[in-house]
């Protein structure tokens, strides 16, 4: 497939699944802008492909993310940046709940709204949110994260209907536990809180997946590419699970 002439904006493109998505979009010919808060990881990814440009922007900062998306004038926007925290529900601090809402839901709102504004008047566009299986089902100890990701799925389904006659599709991709830095932090957290070994902690996350393995980021990136390619024009408002049958 060719994305020559298309511009893409990927939030959280400096690491994990965002970096893989940015790379695959660039390899398909798109000019890709990646954003995040830390310049160093963005620069490392940008150095791997001439079509990838870094921009420092926090998705929870309305002015910064709006300006970055407007400057890119994208045809494809992947709202991928996110973060997770875990705690038993009774011990969950309001501040933690608010952080989860801010980055995972408000940040995705600002990204998708910026994308919708930037695409006004364009005949074709793709808005893709990387939600989670936690946007479809519940998991213990991550209620605020799951609440935010359910919110993302609801927002995607609604925006899709608003844009349905404008050539712009809006979809969520819902991965299970991914083999990325975020999951490494979750494993470290389990080791610290339970005293289990690294291998036991990793196995406990792999066991949540019917295939008993973590989801490769490349599988998520290929789903993004499929949504951007020919033959997916009528796929909109969907929540696509990439989870080895978990949901
Ligand atoms: N890991 C999993 O098991 C899993 C499963 C399902 C869904 N997901 C979702 O997949 C997405 C990517 O996760 P990942 O596993 O690739 O995690 P990751 O490696 O931790 O990447 C997250 C990226 O988001 C960026 N980011 C975080 N907060 C930001 C903010 N306020 N503004 C701008 N950028 C921000 C980070 O860069 P900076 O820190 O430099 O800002 C980082 O590059 C997330 O939405 C996550 O919820 C992950």
């Amino acid at each position: 497939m060719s994305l020559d002439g298309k511009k893409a904006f990927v939030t959280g493109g400096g690491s994990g699944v965002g970096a893989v998505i940015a790379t695959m979009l660039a390899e398909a010919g798109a000019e890709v802008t990646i954003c995040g808060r830390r310049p160093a990881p963005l620069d490392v990814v940008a150095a791997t492909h001439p079509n990838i440009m870094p921009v420092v922007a926090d998705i929870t900062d309305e002015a910064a993310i709006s300006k970055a998306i407007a400057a890119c004038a994208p045809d494809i926007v992947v709202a991928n940046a996110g973060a997770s925290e875990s705690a038993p529900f009774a011990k969950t601090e309001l501040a933690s709940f608010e952080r989860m809402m801010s980055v995972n839901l408000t940040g995705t709102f600002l990204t998708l709204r910026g994308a919708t504004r930037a695409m006004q008047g364009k005949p074709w566009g793709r808005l893709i949110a990387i939600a989670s299986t936690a946007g479809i089902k519940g998991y213990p100890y991550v209620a605020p994260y799951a609440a935010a990701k359910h919110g993302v799925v609801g927002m995607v389904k609604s925006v899709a209907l608003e844009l349905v006659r404008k050539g712009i599709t809006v979809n969520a991709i819902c991965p299970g536990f991914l083999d990325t830095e975020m999951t490494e932090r979750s494993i470290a957290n389990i080791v610290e809180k339970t005293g289990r070994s690294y291998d036991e902690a990793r196995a406990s996350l792999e066991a949540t997946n019917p295939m008993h393995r973590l989801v490769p980021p490349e599988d998520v990136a290929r789903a993004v590419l499929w949504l951007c390619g020919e033959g997916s024009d009528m796929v909109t408002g969907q929540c696509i699970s990439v989870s080895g049958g978990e949901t």
Side-chain angles (χ1 to χ4, degrees), residues 124-176:
W124 185 96
R126 293 288 180 266
L127 272 55
I128 299 163
I130 307 303
S132 169
T133 44
I136 304 171
K137 60 176 265 193
Y139 291 86
Y141 310 121
V142 289
Y145 177 78
K149 292 294 190 180
H150 274 71
V152 168
V153 169
M155 183 159 50
V156 159
K157 289 179 177 176
S158 302
V159 180
L161 292 176
E162 279 191 42
L163 302 182
V164 78
R165 289 169 63 94
K166 296 187 186 295
I168 298 172
T169 65
V170 190
N171 291 287
I173 296 176
C174 294

Side-chain angles (χ1 to χ4, degrees), residues 12 14-18 36-38 57-60 80-82 103-104 130-132 145 149 175-178 180-183 185:
S15 66
V17 72
R37 294 164 302 175
R38 294 166 298 152
D58 185 330
I59 59 165
T60 68
N80 160 76
V103 65
N104 293 306
I130 307 303
S132 169
Y145 177 78
K149 292 294 190 180
F177 277 108
L178 284 160
T180 64
E181 292 89 328
M182 182 185 280
T183 301
R185 287 193 293 275

